[in-house]
Amino acid sequence: MLRFATLICVALAGAVAAQPTLSELLENKTLAELRRFDQSFDGALGVAAIDLTTGHTFGLHGSTVFPQASVIKIAILARMYQAARAGKFALDDRVTMQPGDAVAGSGRLQERLKNGGPATLTVRELIAAMIEWSDNTATNKCIALAGMDDVNRMMDESGLPHTRLRRKMMDSAAVARGEENVSTPEEMARLVETIYRGKLVDQAASREMVEILKKVEGGIHEGLPLDIETASKTGELPGARGETGIVFLDGRPFVLSVMSAFIDDRRTPVPEVTRIVYRYFEKLAGANAWGNRLR
């Protein structure tokens, strides 16, 4: 009889311990909303969010590998600052680009080279063009300076084994061979988190990288109230859209990474996923741990 009573007490204690917290209940609703959106979305979807207050991560298909398009430029950005700090080059070094360096796609540098001949920019200006204008010509020069293998080595050292730079921008032959630049929502979110926390390269480099990423206005920014600041990088390919960045929500900043593939090019999932995830963090930011609204 005593043993039976003991077993009942243990079972009840386990049941109490298994009860979700209020924030977990809220997170479960957010995940359910993401799943409903995923069911209605034409294509494959992956999402990862990191609460920068607690470090907690959640998402949907966060460990699935997706093509990155220009989002991979965050990894190149990080390696450029690491290489500069290591003395491989200085950010104020001047680099002369020739008309033959121009590649198609996004950016302004290609037209400048085609119409005006050689162009000289600092390394810092190349980096800014790569991120702000997603300039493919500037990106390929950054890859040449940083070293493709060194970008991937940095990702390995950062614990991001699925984040891979496999080709330069607009390399159609590499695309035909299936050599895409890839990562997962979780890994790209973690990469941006390390930049935010000043753990990648150093604090000063991280501050500079965040300021450059703040110049991008993409789908994450579109899905937020106008007064919320972001720092992100967008990417798109035929059949794929993605974006990873920081949302500077007062009192509850977070990282969001959204990736998609096999999609209808007329519809990006980034703004709507952002709205869903933002509502979750907005509730956390405006209340105490018991859900009592403070503002």
PDB file of all heavy atoms in Angstrom, residues 161-197:
ATOM      1  N   PRO A 161      28.639  23.716 -39.672  1.00  0.00           N
ATOM      2  CA  PRO A 161      29.171  22.825 -40.711  1.00  0.00           C
ATOM      3  C   PRO A 161      28.339  22.753 -41.984  1.00  0.00           C
ATOM      4  O   PRO A 161      28.837  22.311 -43.025  1.00  0.00           O
ATOM      5  CB  PRO A 161      29.210  21.459 -40.020  1.00  0.00           C
ATOM      6  CG  PRO A 161      28.113  21.535 -38.996  1.00  0.00           C
ATOM      7  CD  PRO A 161      28.152  22.951 -38.505  1.00  0.00           C
ATOM      8  N   HIS A 162      27.080  23.177 -41.924  1.00  0.00           N
ATOM      9  CA  HIS A 162      26.217  23.111 -43.111  1.00  0.00           C
ATOM     10  C   HIS A 162      26.196  24.425 -43.895  1.00  0.00           C
ATOM     11  O   HIS A 162      25.542  24.503 -44.939  1.00  0.00           O
ATOM     12  CB  HIS A 162      24.794  22.740 -42.702  1.00  0.00           C
ATOM     13  CG  HIS A 162      24.696  21.413 -42.015  1.00  0.00           C
ATOM     14  ND1 HIS A 162      24.993  20.226 -42.646  1.00  0.00           N
ATOM     15  CD2 HIS A 162      24.354  21.089 -40.733  1.00  0.00           C
ATOM     16  CE1 HIS A 162      24.834  19.229 -41.795  1.00  0.00           C
ATOM     17  NE2 HIS A 162      24.447  19.720 -40.632  1.00  0.00           N
ATOM     18  N   THR A 163      26.890  25.431 -43.385  1.00  0.00           N
ATOM     19  CA  THR A 163      26.955  26.719 -44.076  1.00  0.00           C
ATOM     20  C   THR A 163      28.161  26.693 -45.005  1.00  0.00           C
ATOM     21  O   THR A 163      29.306  26.668 -44.540  1.00  0.00           O
ATOM     22  CB  THR A 163      27.071  27.876 -43.075  1.00  0.00           C
ATOM     23  OG1 THR A 163      25.950  27.809 -42.176  1.00  0.00           O
ATOM     24  CG2 THR A 163      27.078  29.215 -43.777  1.00  0.00           C
ATOM     25  N   ARG A 164      27.893  26.677 -46.300  1.00  0.00           N
ATOM     26  CA  ARG A 164      28.959  26.475 -47.280  1.00  0.00           C
ATOM     27  C   ARG A 164      28.876  27.456 -48.442  1.00  0.00           C
ATOM     28  O   ARG A 164      27.837  27.603 -49.087  1.00  0.00           O
ATOM     29  CB  ARG A 164      28.900  25.045 -47.828  1.00  0.00           C
ATOM     30  CG  ARG A 164      29.466  23.995 -46.871  1.00  0.00           C
ATOM     31  CD  ARG A 164      30.969  24.213 -46.701  1.00  0.00           C
ATOM     32  NE  ARG A 164      31.557  23.356 -45.677  1.00  0.00           N
ATOM     33  CZ  ARG A 164      31.696  23.705 -44.393  1.00  0.00           C
ATOM     34  NH1 ARG A 164      31.273  24.885 -43.989  1.00  0.00           N
ATOM     35  NH2 ARG A 164      32.266  22.891 -43.541  1.00  0.00           N
ATOM     36  N   LEU A 165      30.023  28.118 -48.697  1.00  0.00           N
ATOM     37  CA  LEU A 165      30.206  28.933 -49.892  1.00  0.00           C
ATOM     38  C   LEU A 165      30.849  28.034 -50.938  1.00  0.00           C
ATOM     39  O   LEU A 165      32.009  27.649 -50.805  1.00  0.00           O
ATOM     40  CB  LEU A 165      31.095  30.137 -49.573  1.00  0.00           C
ATOM     41  CG  LEU A 165      31.428  31.060 -50.745  1.00  0.00           C
ATOM     42  CD1 LEU A 165      30.178  31.742 -51.282  1.00  0.00           C
ATOM     43  CD2 LEU A 165      32.476  32.090 -50.335  1.00  0.00           C
ATOM     44  N   ARG A 166      30.099  27.709 -51.983  1.00  0.00           N
ATOM     45  CA  ARG A 166      30.572  26.747 -52.982  1.00  0.00           C
ATOM     46  C   ARG A 166      30.878  27.355 -54.342  1.00  0.00           C
ATOM     47  O   ARG A 166      31.510  26.730 -55.175  1.00  0.00           O
ATOM     48  CB  ARG A 166      29.522  25.641 -53.158  1.00  0.00           C
ATOM     49  CG  ARG A 166      29.371  24.741 -51.943  1.00  0.00           C
ATOM     50  CD  ARG A 166      28.223  23.774 -52.137  1.00  0.00           C
ATOM     51  NE  ARG A 166      28.154  22.795 -51.067  1.00  0.00           N
ATOM     52  CZ  ARG A 166      27.078  22.058 -50.803  1.00  0.00           C
ATOM     53  NH1 ARG A 166      25.961  22.228 -51.543  1.00  0.00           N
ATOM     54  NH2 ARG A 166      27.088  21.181 -49.824  1.00  0.00           N
ATOM     55  N   ARG A 167      30.389  28.559 -54.563  1.00  0.00           N
ATOM     56  CA  ARG A 167      30.614  29.177 -55.875  1.00  0.00           C
ATOM     57  C   ARG A 167      30.544  30.683 -55.766  1.00  0.00           C
ATOM     58  O   ARG A 167      29.987  31.234 -54.812  1.00  0.00           O
ATOM     59  CB  ARG A 167      29.571  28.682 -56.884  1.00  0.00           C
ATOM     60  CG  ARG A 167      28.131  29.079 -56.551  1.00  0.00           C
ATOM     61  CD  ARG A 167      27.185  28.777 -57.693  1.00  0.00           C
ATOM     62  NE  ARG A 167      25.797  29.050 -57.367  1.00  0.00           N
ATOM     63  CZ  ARG A 167      25.218  30.238 -57.445  1.00  0.00           C
ATOM     64  NH1 ARG A 167      25.925  31.295 -57.837  1.00  0.00           N
ATOM     65  NH2 ARG A 167      23.942  30.393 -57.154  1.00  0.00           N
ATOM     66  N   LYS A 168      31.117  31.367 -56.764  1.00  0.00           N
ATOM     67  CA  LYS A 168      30.982  32.810 -56.862  1.00  0.00           C
ATOM     68  C   LYS A 168      29.581  33.149 -57.374  1.00  0.00           C
ATOM     69  O   LYS A 168      28.834  32.283 -57.825  1.00  0.00           O
ATOM     70  CB  LYS A 168      32.054  33.377 -57.786  1.00  0.00           C
ATOM     71  CG  LYS A 168      33.460  33.322 -57.195  1.00  0.00           C
ATOM     72  CD  LYS A 168      34.450  34.068 -58.076  1.00  0.00           C
ATOM     73  CE  LYS A 168      35.809  34.153 -57.400  1.00  0.00           C
ATOM     74  NZ  LYS A 168      36.778  34.938 -58.220  1.00  0.00           N
ATOM     75  N   MET A 169      29.267  34.428 -57.347  1.00  0.00           N
ATOM     76  CA  MET A 169      27.961  34.876 -57.824  1.00  0.00           C
ATOM     77  C   MET A 169      27.891  34.775 -59.345  1.00  0.00           C
ATOM     78  O   MET A 169      28.873  35.019 -60.040  1.00  0.00           O
ATOM     79  CB  MET A 169      27.705  36.325 -57.405  1.00  0.00           C
ATOM     80  CG  MET A 169      27.763  36.574 -55.897  1.00  0.00           C
ATOM     81  SD  MET A 169      26.563  35.649 -54.921  1.00  0.00           S
ATOM     82  CE  MET A 169      27.652  34.487 -54.053  1.00  0.00           C
ATOM     83  N   MET A 170      26.713  34.407 -59.841  1.00  0.00           N
ATOM     84  CA  MET A 170      26.409  34.357 -61.278  1.00  0.00           C
ATOM     85  C   MET A 170      27.282  33.358 -62.037  1.00  0.00           C
ATOM     86  O   MET A 170      27.554  33.531 -63.216  1.00  0.00           O
ATOM     87  CB  MET A 170      26.536  35.754 -61.904  1.00  0.00           C
ATOM     88  CG  MET A 170      25.749  36.836 -61.193  1.00  0.00           C
ATOM     89  SD  MET A 170      24.005  36.416 -60.931  1.00  0.00           S
ATOM     90  CE  MET A 170      23.401  36.394 -62.625  1.00  0.00           C
ATOM     91  N   ASP A 171      27.697  32.295 -61.365  1.00  0.00           N
ATOM     92  CA  ASP A 171      28.466  31.226 -62.015  1.00  0.00           C
ATOM     93  C   ASP A 171      27.475  30.181 -62.519  1.00  0.00           C
ATOM     94  O   ASP A 171      27.129  29.238 -61.810  1.00  0.00           O
ATOM     95  CB  ASP A 171      29.452  30.612 -61.019  1.00  0.00           C
ATOM     96  CG  ASP A 171      30.389  29.584 -61.653  1.00  0.00           C
ATOM     97  OD1 ASP A 171      30.075  29.102 -62.767  1.00  0.00           O
ATOM     98  OD2 ASP A 171      31.420  29.262 -61.038  1.00  0.00           O
ATOM     99  N   SER A 172      27.004  30.351 -63.741  1.00  0.00           N
ATOM    100  CA  SER A 172      25.951  29.485 -64.286  1.00  0.00           C
ATOM    101  C   SER A 172      26.421  28.050 -64.446  1.00  0.00           C
ATOM    102  O   SER A 172      25.635  27.107 -64.290  1.00  0.00           O
ATOM    103  CB  SER A 172      25.457  30.035 -65.630  1.00  0.00           C
ATOM    104  OG  SER A 172      26.534  30.168 -66.539  1.00  0.00           O
ATOM    105  N   ALA A 173      27.697  27.846 -64.751  1.00  0.00           N
ATOM    106  CA  ALA A 173      28.218  26.483 -64.895  1.00  0.00           C
ATOM    107  C   ALA A 173      28.165  25.748 -63.559  1.00  0.00           C
ATOM    108  O   ALA A 173      27.792  24.568 -63.495  1.00  0.00           O
ATOM    109  CB  ALA A 173      29.648  26.521 -65.433  1.00  0.00           C
ATOM    110  N   ALA A 174      28.532  26.444 -62.471  1.00  0.00           N
ATOM    111  CA  ALA A 174      28.474  25.838 -61.140  1.00  0.00           C
ATOM    112  C   ALA A 174      27.033  25.541 -60.741  1.00  0.00           C
ATOM    113  O   ALA A 174      26.738  24.511 -60.131  1.00  0.00           O
ATOM    114  CB  ALA A 174      29.127  26.757 -60.121  1.00  0.00           C
ATOM    115  N   VAL A 175      26.119  26.443 -61.095  1.00  0.00           N
ATOM    116  CA  VAL A 175      24.698  26.225 -60.807  1.00  0.00           C
ATOM    117  C   VAL A 175      24.213  24.969 -61.511  1.00  0.00           C
ATOM    118  O   VAL A 175      23.497  24.143 -60.929  1.00  0.00           O
ATOM    119  CB  VAL A 175      23.857  27.445 -61.243  1.00  0.00           C
ATOM    120  CG1 VAL A 175      22.364  27.133 -61.126  1.00  0.00           C
ATOM    121  CG2 VAL A 175      24.204  28.661 -60.395  1.00  0.00           C
ATOM    122  N   ALA A 176      24.612  24.809 -62.784  1.00  0.00           N
ATOM    123  CA  ALA A 176      24.196  23.629 -63.545  1.00  0.00           C
ATOM    124  C   ALA A 176      24.729  22.344 -62.913  1.00  0.00           C
ATOM    125  O   ALA A 176      24.099  21.287 -63.025  1.00  0.00           O
ATOM    126  CB  ALA A 176      24.680  23.746 -64.986  1.00  0.00           C
ATOM    127  N   ARG A 177      25.864  22.435 -62.231  1.00  0.00           N
ATOM    128  CA  ARG A 177      26.431  21.260 -61.542  1.00  0.00           C
ATOM    129  C   ARG A 177      25.799  21.054 -60.173  1.00  0.00           C
ATOM    130  O   ARG A 177      26.145  20.104 -59.464  1.00  0.00           O
ATOM    131  CB  ARG A 177      27.943  21.435 -61.374  1.00  0.00           C
ATOM    132  CG  ARG A 177      28.734  21.425 -62.682  1.00  0.00           C
ATOM    133  CD  ARG A 177      30.227  21.308 -62.421  1.00  0.00           C
ATOM    134  NE  ARG A 177      30.760  22.422 -61.667  1.00  0.00           N
ATOM    135  CZ  ARG A 177      31.269  23.535 -62.193  1.00  0.00           C
ATOM    136  NH1 ARG A 177      31.289  23.675 -63.525  1.00  0.00           N
ATOM    137  NH2 ARG A 177      31.742  24.495 -61.428  1.00  0.00           N
ATOM    138  N   GLY A 178      24.904  21.942 -59.770  1.00  0.00           N
ATOM    139  CA  GLY A 178      24.255  21.816 -58.466  1.00  0.00           C
ATOM    140  C   GLY A 178      25.071  22.369 -57.318  1.00  0.00           C
ATOM    141  O   GLY A 178      24.819  22.044 -56.151  1.00  0.00           O
ATOM    142  N   GLU A 179      26.030  23.222 -57.615  1.00  0.00           N
ATOM    143  CA  GLU A 179      26.895  23.789 -56.580  1.00  0.00           C
ATOM    144  C   GLU A 179      26.285  25.080 -56.048  1.00  0.00           C
ATOM    145  O   GLU A 179      26.614  26.182 -56.487  1.00  0.00           O
ATOM    146  CB  GLU A 179      28.296  24.035 -57.149  1.00  0.00           C
ATOM    147  CG  GLU A 179      28.995  22.759 -57.580  1.00  0.00           C
ATOM    148  CD  GLU A 179      30.317  23.012 -58.300  1.00  0.00           C
ATOM    149  OE1 GLU A 179      30.753  24.189 -58.347  1.00  0.00           O
ATOM    150  OE2 GLU A 179      30.898  22.052 -58.813  1.00  0.00           O
ATOM    151  N   GLU A 180      25.393  24.938 -55.104  1.00  0.00           N
ATOM    152  CA  GLU A 180      24.725  26.098 -54.512  1.00  0.00           C
ATOM    153  C   GLU A 180      25.420  26.499 -53.210  1.00  0.00           C
ATOM    154  O   GLU A 180      26.025  25.671 -52.522  1.00  0.00           O
ATOM    155  CB  GLU A 180      23.258  25.791 -54.231  1.00  0.00           C
ATOM    156  CG  GLU A 180      22.385  25.672 -55.456  1.00  0.00           C
ATOM    157  CD  GLU A 180      22.207  26.990 -56.206  1.00  0.00           C
ATOM    158  OE1 GLU A 180      22.592  28.055 -55.662  1.00  0.00           O
ATOM    159  OE2 GLU A 180      21.697  26.952 -57.339  1.00  0.00           O
ATOM    160  N   ASN A 181      25.309  27.754 -52.866  1.00  0.00           N
ATOM    161  CA  ASN A 181      25.726  28.251 -51.557  1.00  0.00           C
ATOM    162  C   ASN A 181      24.585  27.967 -50.584  1.00  0.00           C
ATOM    163  O   ASN A 181      23.447  28.381 -50.831  1.00  0.00           O
ATOM    164  CB  ASN A 181      26.031  29.740 -51.634  1.00  0.00           C
ATOM    165  CG  ASN A 181      27.140  30.029 -52.635  1.00  0.00           C
ATOM    166  OD1 ASN A 181      28.134  29.300 -52.693  1.00  0.00           O
ATOM    167  ND2 ASN A 181      26.984  31.079 -53.416  1.00  0.00           N
ATOM    168  N   VAL A 182      24.874  27.259 -49.503  1.00  0.00           N
ATOM    169  CA  VAL A 182      23.804  26.707 -48.674  1.00  0.00           C
ATOM    170  C   VAL A 182      24.028  26.974 -47.181  1.00  0.00           C
ATOM    171  O   VAL A 182      25.133  27.255 -46.732  1.00  0.00           O
ATOM    172  CB  VAL A 182      23.660  25.179 -48.894  1.00  0.00           C
ATOM    173  CG1 VAL A 182      23.288  24.866 -50.337  1.00  0.00           C
ATOM    174  CG2 VAL A 182      24.950  24.449 -48.520  1.00  0.00           C
ATOM    175  N   SER A 183      22.939  26.845 -46.435  1.00  0.00           N
ATOM    176  CA  SER A 183      22.975  26.866 -44.974  1.00  0.00           C
ATOM    177  C   SER A 183      21.623  26.379 -44.471  1.00  0.00           C
ATOM    178  O   SER A 183      20.756  25.989 -45.259  1.00  0.00           O
ATOM    179  CB  SER A 183      23.279  28.271 -44.444  1.00  0.00           C
ATOM    180  OG  SER A 183      23.442  28.253 -43.033  1.00  0.00           O
ATOM    181  N   THR A 184      21.434  26.409 -43.174  1.00  0.00           N
ATOM    182  CA  THR A 184      20.145  26.092 -42.567  1.00  0.00           C
ATOM    183  C   THR A 184      19.628  27.336 -41.845  1.00  0.00           C
ATOM    184  O   THR A 184      20.414  28.228 -41.487  1.00  0.00           O
ATOM    185  CB  THR A 184      20.263  24.948 -41.537  1.00  0.00           C
ATOM    186  OG1 THR A 184      20.969  25.437 -40.369  1.00  0.00           O
ATOM    187  CG2 THR A 184      21.022  23.759 -42.122  1.00  0.00           C
ATOM    188  N   PRO A 185      18.324  27.421 -41.595  1.00  0.00           N
ATOM    189  CA  PRO A 185      17.814  28.561 -40.818  1.00  0.00           C
ATOM    190  C   PRO A 185      18.492  28.692 -39.452  1.00  0.00           C
ATOM    191  O   PRO A 185      18.849  29.802 -39.043  1.00  0.00           O
ATOM    192  CB  PRO A 185      16.320  28.253 -40.682  1.00  0.00           C
ATOM    193  CG  PRO A 185      16.007  27.430 -41.904  1.00  0.00           C
ATOM    194  CD  PRO A 185      17.220  26.574 -42.125  1.00  0.00           C
ATOM    195  N   GLU A 186      18.701  27.566 -38.772  1.00  0.00           N
ATOM    196  CA  GLU A 186      19.317  27.629 -37.446  1.00  0.00           C
ATOM    197  C   GLU A 186      20.756  28.123 -37.510  1.00  0.00           C
ATOM    198  O   GLU A 186      21.178  28.952 -36.695  1.00  0.00           O
ATOM    199  CB  GLU A 186      19.262  26.249 -36.776  1.00  0.00           C
ATOM    200  CG  GLU A 186      17.873  25.841 -36.326  1.00  0.00           C
ATOM    201  CD  GLU A 186      17.837  24.428 -35.763  1.00  0.00           C
ATOM    202  OE1 GLU A 186      18.898  23.751 -35.782  1.00  0.00           O
ATOM    203  OE2 GLU A 186      16.757  24.008 -35.326  1.00  0.00           O
ATOM    204  N   GLU A 187      21.521  27.618 -38.485  1.00  0.00           N
ATOM    205  CA  GLU A 187      22.925  28.015 -38.559  1.00  0.00           C
ATOM    206  C   GLU A 187      23.083  29.479 -38.946  1.00  0.00           C
ATOM    207  O   GLU A 187      23.920  30.195 -38.377  1.00  0.00           O
ATOM    208  CB  GLU A 187      23.687  27.121 -39.541  1.00  0.00           C
ATOM    209  CG  GLU A 187      23.946  25.727 -39.011  1.00  0.00           C
ATOM    210  CD  GLU A 187      25.036  24.989 -39.770  1.00  0.00           C
ATOM    211  OE1 GLU A 187      25.682  25.590 -40.658  1.00  0.00           O
ATOM    212  OE2 GLU A 187      25.262  23.801 -39.474  1.00  0.00           O
ATOM    213  N   MET A 188      22.287  29.931 -39.905  1.00  0.00           N
ATOM    214  CA  MET A 188      22.414  31.327 -40.300  1.00  0.00           C
ATOM    215  C   MET A 188      21.963  32.252 -39.169  1.00  0.00           C
ATOM    216  O   MET A 188      22.555  33.317 -38.946  1.00  0.00           O
ATOM    217  CB  MET A 188      21.625  31.593 -41.573  1.00  0.00           C
ATOM    218  CG  MET A 188      22.000  32.880 -42.272  1.00  0.00           C
ATOM    219  SD  MET A 188      23.761  33.077 -42.682  1.00  0.00           S
ATOM    220  CE  MET A 188      23.950  31.854 -43.983  1.00  0.00           C
ATOM    221  N   ALA A 189      20.937  31.836 -38.425  1.00  0.00           N
ATOM    222  CA  ALA A 189      20.499  32.622 -37.268  1.00  0.00           C
ATOM    223  C   ALA A 189      21.593  32.673 -36.208  1.00  0.00           C
ATOM    224  O   ALA A 189      21.850  33.728 -35.609  1.00  0.00           O
ATOM    225  CB  ALA A 189      19.213  32.035 -36.684  1.00  0.00           C
ATOM    226  N   ARG A 190      22.270  31.556 -35.990  1.00  0.00           N
ATOM    227  CA  ARG A 190      23.351  31.519 -35.005  1.00  0.00           C
ATOM    228  C   ARG A 190      24.525  32.389 -35.444  1.00  0.00           C
ATOM    229  O   ARG A 190      25.181  33.036 -34.619  1.00  0.00           O
ATOM    230  CB  ARG A 190      23.804  30.077 -34.778  1.00  0.00           C
ATOM    231  CG  ARG A 190      22.845  29.255 -33.920  1.00  0.00           C
ATOM    232  CD  ARG A 190      23.221  27.783 -33.930  1.00  0.00           C
ATOM    233  NE  ARG A 190      24.613  27.562 -33.570  1.00  0.00           N
ATOM    234  CZ  ARG A 190      25.302  26.466 -33.887  1.00  0.00           C
ATOM    235  NH1 ARG A 190      24.729  25.506 -34.597  1.00  0.00           N
ATOM    236  NH2 ARG A 190      26.550  26.333 -33.504  1.00  0.00           N
ATOM    237  N   LEU A 191      24.812  32.399 -36.753  1.00  0.00           N
ATOM    238  CA  LEU A 191      25.887  33.249 -37.256  1.00  0.00           C
ATOM    239  C   LEU A 191      25.588  34.714 -36.954  1.00  0.00           C
ATOM    240  O   LEU A 191      26.456  35.458 -36.471  1.00  0.00           O
ATOM    241  CB  LEU A 191      26.055  33.034 -38.767  1.00  0.00           C
ATOM    242  CG  LEU A 191      27.061  33.944 -39.484  1.00  0.00           C
ATOM    243  CD1 LEU A 191      28.465  33.761 -38.914  1.00  0.00           C
ATOM    244  CD2 LEU A 191      27.044  33.666 -40.988  1.00  0.00           C
ATOM    245  N   VAL A 192      24.371  35.141 -37.225  1.00  0.00           N
ATOM    246  CA  VAL A 192      23.993  36.532 -36.963  1.00  0.00           C
ATOM    247  C   VAL A 192      23.976  36.815 -35.454  1.00  0.00           C
ATOM    248  O   VAL A 192      24.346  37.911 -35.019  1.00  0.00           O
ATOM    249  CB  VAL A 192      22.630  36.847 -37.615  1.00  0.00           C
ATOM    250  CG1 VAL A 192      22.108  38.202 -37.164  1.00  0.00           C
ATOM    251  CG2 VAL A 192      22.764  36.826 -39.135  1.00  0.00           C
ATOM    252  N   GLU A 193      23.570  35.833 -34.663  1.00  0.00           N
ATOM    253  CA  GLU A 193      23.593  36.021 -33.207  1.00  0.00           C
ATOM    254  C   GLU A 193      25.015  36.286 -32.713  1.00  0.00           C
ATOM    255  O   GLU A 193      25.231  37.168 -31.866  1.00  0.00           O
ATOM    256  CB  GLU A 193      23.027  34.791 -32.492  1.00  0.00           C
ATOM    257  CG  GLU A 193      23.038  34.936 -30.970  1.00  0.00           C
ATOM    258  CD  GLU A 193      22.743  33.643 -30.229  1.00  0.00           C
ATOM    259  OE1 GLU A 193      22.858  32.560 -30.836  1.00  0.00           O
ATOM    260  OE2 GLU A 193      22.418  33.712 -29.033  1.00  0.00           O
ATOM    261  N   THR A 194      26.003  35.541 -33.239  1.00  0.00           N
ATOM    262  CA  THR A 194      27.386  35.749 -32.792  1.00  0.00           C
ATOM    263  C   THR A 194      27.884  37.131 -33.193  1.00  0.00           C
ATOM    264  O   THR A 194      28.675  37.750 -32.466  1.00  0.00           O
ATOM    265  CB  THR A 194      28.323  34.676 -33.357  1.00  0.00           C
ATOM    266  OG1 THR A 194      28.292  34.688 -34.790  1.00  0.00           O
ATOM    267  CG2 THR A 194      27.939  33.287 -32.864  1.00  0.00           C
ATOM    268  N   ILE A 195      27.421  37.623 -34.346  1.00  0.00           N
ATOM    269  CA  ILE A 195      27.772  38.991 -34.739  1.00  0.00           C
ATOM    270  C   ILE A 195      27.143  39.983 -33.763  1.00  0.00           C
ATOM    271  O   ILE A 195      27.801  40.903 -33.268  1.00  0.00           O
ATOM    272  CB  ILE A 195      27.321  39.272 -36.181  1.00  0.00           C
ATOM    273  CG1 ILE A 195      28.123  38.416 -37.181  1.00  0.00           C
ATOM    274  CG2 ILE A 195      27.483  40.756 -36.515  1.00  0.00           C
ATOM    275  CD1 ILE A 195      27.640  38.524 -38.608  1.00  0.00           C
ATOM    276  N   TYR A 196      25.866  39.810 -33.456  1.00  0.00           N
ATOM    277  CA  TYR A 196      25.149  40.703 -32.536  1.00  0.00           C
ATOM    278  C   TYR A 196      25.831  40.755 -31.170  1.00  0.00           C
ATOM    279  O   TYR A 196      25.961  41.836 -30.576  1.00  0.00           O
ATOM    280  CB  TYR A 196      23.713  40.209 -32.379  1.00  0.00           C
ATOM    281  CG  TYR A 196      22.918  40.916 -31.299  1.00  0.00           C
ATOM    282  CD1 TYR A 196      22.264  42.113 -31.558  1.00  0.00           C
ATOM    283  CD2 TYR A 196      22.819  40.369 -30.019  1.00  0.00           C
ATOM    284  CE1 TYR A 196      21.539  42.757 -30.568  1.00  0.00           C
ATOM    285  CE2 TYR A 196      22.090  41.006 -29.027  1.00  0.00           C
ATOM    286  CZ  TYR A 196      21.452  42.196 -29.298  1.00  0.00           C
ATOM    287  OH  TYR A 196      20.730  42.833 -28.307  1.00  0.00           O
ATOM    288  N   ARG A 197      26.281  39.615 -30.677  1.00  0.00           N
ATOM    289  CA  ARG A 197      26.874  39.544 -29.340  1.00  0.00           C
ATOM    290  C   ARG A 197      28.351  39.938 -29.334  1.00  0.00           C
ATOM    291  O   ARG A 197      28.989  39.932 -28.272  1.00  0.00           O
ATOM    292  CB  ARG A 197      26.692  38.140 -28.764  1.00  0.00           C
ATOM    293  CG  ARG A 197      25.235  37.739 -28.574  1.00  0.00           C
ATOM    294  CD  ARG A 197      25.073  36.509 -27.721  1.00  0.00           C
ATOM    295  NE  ARG A 197      23.716  36.014 -27.700  1.00  0.00           N
ATOM    296  CZ  ARG A 197      22.711  36.547 -26.996  1.00  0.00           C
ATOM    297  NH1 ARG A 197      22.939  37.620 -26.250  1.00  0.00           N
ATOM    298  NH2 ARG A 197      21.497  36.028 -27.034  1.00  0.00           N
TER     299      ARG A 197
END
